[in-house]
PDB file of all heavy atoms in Angstrom:
ATOM      1  N   TYR A 274      18.962   1.675   0.343  1.00 95.00           N
ATOM      2  CA  TYR A 274      19.283   0.366  -0.232  1.00 95.00           C
ATOM      3  C   TYR A 274      20.802   0.203  -0.378  1.00 95.00           C
ATOM      4  O   TYR A 274      21.367  -0.849  -0.015  1.00 95.00           O
ATOM      5  CB  TYR A 274      18.609   0.206  -1.588  1.00 95.00           C
ATOM      6  CG  TYR A 274      18.940  -1.086  -2.291  1.00 95.00           C
ATOM      7  CD1 TYR A 274      18.299  -2.273  -1.948  1.00 95.00           C
ATOM      8  CD2 TYR A 274      19.913  -1.125  -3.283  1.00 95.00           C
ATOM      9  CE1 TYR A 274      18.618  -3.460  -2.573  1.00 95.00           C
ATOM     10  CE2 TYR A 274      20.245  -2.311  -3.921  1.00 95.00           C
ATOM     11  CZ  TYR A 274      19.588  -3.483  -3.567  1.00 95.00           C
ATOM     12  OH  TYR A 274      19.917  -4.656  -4.189  1.00 95.00           O
ATOM     13  N   LEU A 275      21.466   1.221  -0.882  1.00 96.00           N
ATOM     14  CA  LEU A 275      22.919   1.145  -1.062  1.00 96.00           C
ATOM     15  C   LEU A 275      23.639   1.029   0.281  1.00 96.00           C
ATOM     16  O   LEU A 275      24.634   0.300   0.395  1.00 96.00           O
ATOM     17  CB  LEU A 275      23.420   2.368  -1.828  1.00 96.00           C
ATOM     18  CG  LEU A 275      23.034   2.428  -3.312  1.00 96.00           C
ATOM     19  CD1 LEU A 275      23.459   3.760  -3.922  1.00 96.00           C
ATOM     20  CD2 LEU A 275      23.677   1.271  -4.083  1.00 96.00           C
ATOM     21  N   LEU A 276      23.136   1.726   1.291  1.00 95.00           N
ATOM     22  CA  LEU A 276      23.743   1.622   2.622  1.00 95.00           C
ATOM     23  C   LEU A 276      23.611   0.200   3.178  1.00 95.00           C
ATOM     24  O   LEU A 276      24.562  -0.339   3.769  1.00 95.00           O
ATOM     25  CB  LEU A 276      23.083   2.619   3.581  1.00 95.00           C
ATOM     26  CG  LEU A 276      23.461   4.094   3.398  1.00 95.00           C
ATOM     27  CD1 LEU A 276      22.622   4.975   4.313  1.00 95.00           C
ATOM     28  CD2 LEU A 276      24.955   4.297   3.673  1.00 95.00           C
ATOM     29  N   ILE A 277      22.440  -0.402   2.975  1.00 95.00           N
ATOM     30  CA  ILE A 277      22.239  -1.783   3.419  1.00 95.00           C
ATOM     31  C   ILE A 277      23.213  -2.712   2.709  1.00 95.00           C
ATOM     32  O   ILE A 277      23.852  -3.579   3.334  1.00 95.00           O
ATOM     33  CB  ILE A 277      20.786  -2.238   3.160  1.00 95.00           C
ATOM     34  CG1 ILE A 277      19.819  -1.445   4.039  1.00 95.00           C
ATOM     35  CG2 ILE A 277      20.635  -3.745   3.433  1.00 95.00           C
ATOM     36  CD1 ILE A 277      18.362  -1.691   3.720  1.00 95.00           C
ATOM     37  N   ARG A 278      23.363  -2.512   1.401  1.00 94.00           N
ATOM     38  CA  ARG A 278      24.267  -3.371   0.627  1.00 94.00           C
ATOM     39  C   ARG A 278      25.719  -3.178   1.059  1.00 94.00           C
ATOM     40  O   ARG A 278      26.494  -4.158   1.147  1.00 94.00           O
ATOM     41  CB  ARG A 278      24.117  -3.072  -0.868  1.00 94.00           C
ATOM     42  CG  ARG A 278      22.788  -3.491  -1.482  1.00 94.00           C
ATOM     43  CD  ARG A 278      22.656  -5.005  -1.537  1.00 94.00           C
ATOM     44  NE  ARG A 278      23.713  -5.639  -2.274  1.00 94.00           N
ATOM     45  CZ  ARG A 278      23.691  -5.885  -3.587  1.00 94.00           C
ATOM     46  NH1 ARG A 278      22.623  -5.529  -4.302  1.00 94.00           N
ATOM     47  NH2 ARG A 278      24.701  -6.495  -4.180  1.00 94.00           N
ATOM     48  N   LEU A 279      26.097  -1.934   1.318  1.00 95.00           N
ATOM     49  CA  LEU A 279      27.480  -1.656   1.710  1.00 95.00           C
ATOM     50  C   LEU A 279      27.801  -2.216   3.090  1.00 95.00           C
ATOM     51  O   LEU A 279      28.879  -2.760   3.330  1.00 95.00           O
ATOM     52  CB  LEU A 279      27.739  -0.147   1.684  1.00 95.00           C
ATOM     53  CG  LEU A 279      27.852   0.501   0.297  1.00 95.00           C
ATOM     54  CD1 LEU A 279      27.902   2.017   0.428  1.00 95.00           C
ATOM     55  CD2 LEU A 279      29.102  -0.007  -0.439  1.00 95.00           C
ATOM     56  N   ILE A 280      26.847  -2.074   4.015  1.00 94.00           N
ATOM     57  CA  ILE A 280      27.078  -2.532   5.389  1.00 94.00           C
ATOM     58  C   ILE A 280      27.022  -4.060   5.475  1.00 94.00           C
ATOM     59  O   ILE A 280      27.869  -4.688   6.108  1.00 94.00           O
ATOM     60  CB  ILE A 280      26.049  -1.902   6.344  1.00 94.00           C
ATOM     61  CG1 ILE A 280      26.268  -0.394   6.419  1.00 94.00           C
ATOM     62  CG2 ILE A 280      26.145  -2.526   7.735  1.00 94.00           C
ATOM     63  CD1 ILE A 280      25.182   0.352   7.164  1.00 94.00           C
ATOM     64  N   ALA A 281      26.010  -4.651   4.834  1.00 92.00           N
ATOM     65  CA  ALA A 281      25.811  -6.100   4.944  1.00 92.00           C
ATOM     66  C   ALA A 281      26.652  -6.893   3.964  1.00 92.00           C
ATOM     67  O   ALA A 281      26.891  -8.091   4.163  1.00 92.00           O
ATOM     68  CB  ALA A 281      24.335  -6.432   4.729  1.00 92.00           C
ATOM     69  N   ARG A 282      27.090  -6.242   2.882  1.00 91.00           N
ATOM     70  CA  ARG A 282      27.856  -6.925   1.825  1.00 91.00           C
ATOM     71  C   ARG A 282      27.049  -8.051   1.183  1.00 91.00           C
ATOM     72  O   ARG A 282      27.616  -9.020   0.680  1.00 91.00           O
ATOM     73  CB  ARG A 282      29.173  -7.495   2.380  1.00 91.00           C
ATOM     74  CG  ARG A 282      30.083  -6.484   3.019  1.00 91.00           C
ATOM     75  CD  ARG A 282      30.718  -5.587   1.988  1.00 91.00           C
ATOM     76  NE  ARG A 282      31.672  -4.655   2.574  1.00 91.00           N
ATOM     77  CZ  ARG A 282      32.411  -3.794   1.889  1.00 91.00           C
ATOM     78  NH1 ARG A 282      32.297  -3.758   0.567  1.00 91.00           N
ATOM     79  NH2 ARG A 282      33.233  -2.973   2.496  1.00 91.00           N
ATOM     80  N   LYS A 283      25.734  -7.925   1.264  1.00 90.00           N
ATOM     81  CA  LYS A 283      24.861  -8.943   0.678  1.00 90.00           C
ATOM     82  C   LYS A 283      23.631  -8.268   0.086  1.00 90.00           C
ATOM     83  O   LYS A 283      23.282  -7.141   0.447  1.00 90.00           O
ATOM     84  CB  LYS A 283      24.391  -9.950   1.738  1.00 90.00           C
ATOM     85  CG  LYS A 283      25.461 -10.874   2.261  1.00 90.00           C
ATOM     86  CD  LYS A 283      24.843 -11.834   3.290  1.00 90.00           C
ATOM     87  CE  LYS A 283      25.878 -12.812   3.827  1.00 90.00           C
ATOM     88  NZ  LYS A 283      25.270 -13.753   4.808  1.00 90.00           N
ATOM     89  N   LYS A 284      22.961  -9.000  -0.801  1.00 92.00           N
ATOM     90  CA  LYS A 284      21.662  -8.548  -1.274  1.00 92.00           C
ATOM     91  C   LYS A 284      20.652  -8.675  -0.129  1.00 92.00           C
ATOM     92  O   LYS A 284      20.833  -9.486   0.784  1.00 92.00           O
ATOM     93  CB  LYS A 284      21.195  -9.391  -2.459  1.00 92.00           C
ATOM     94  CG  LYS A 284      22.086  -9.319  -3.687  1.00 92.00           C
ATOM     95  CD  LYS A 284      21.551 -10.250  -4.763  1.00 92.00           C
ATOM     96  CE  LYS A 284      22.435 -10.217  -5.994  1.00 92.00           C
ATOM     97  NZ  LYS A 284      21.962 -11.167  -7.043  1.00 92.00           N
ATOM     98  N   ILE A 285      19.584  -7.882  -0.197  1.00 94.00           N
ATOM     99  CA  ILE A 285      18.548  -7.969   0.834  1.00 94.00           C
ATOM    100  C   ILE A 285      17.932  -9.362   0.837  1.00 94.00           C
ATOM    101  O   ILE A 285      17.616  -9.917   1.894  1.00 94.00           O
ATOM    102  CB  ILE A 285      17.469  -6.894   0.618  1.00 94.00           C
ATOM    103  CG1 ILE A 285      18.076  -5.507   0.780  1.00 94.00           C
ATOM    104  CG2 ILE A 285      16.314  -7.082   1.598  1.00 94.00           C
ATOM    105  CD1 ILE A 285      17.104  -4.374   0.563  1.00 94.00           C
TER     106      ILE A 285
END
Side-chain angles (χ1 to χ4, degrees):
Y274 177 80
L275 289 174
L276 286 174
I277 294 172
R278 291 291 302 271
L279 287 172
I280 294 171
R282 302 288 184 177
K283 290 181 179 181
K284 298 177 181 178
I285 296 179

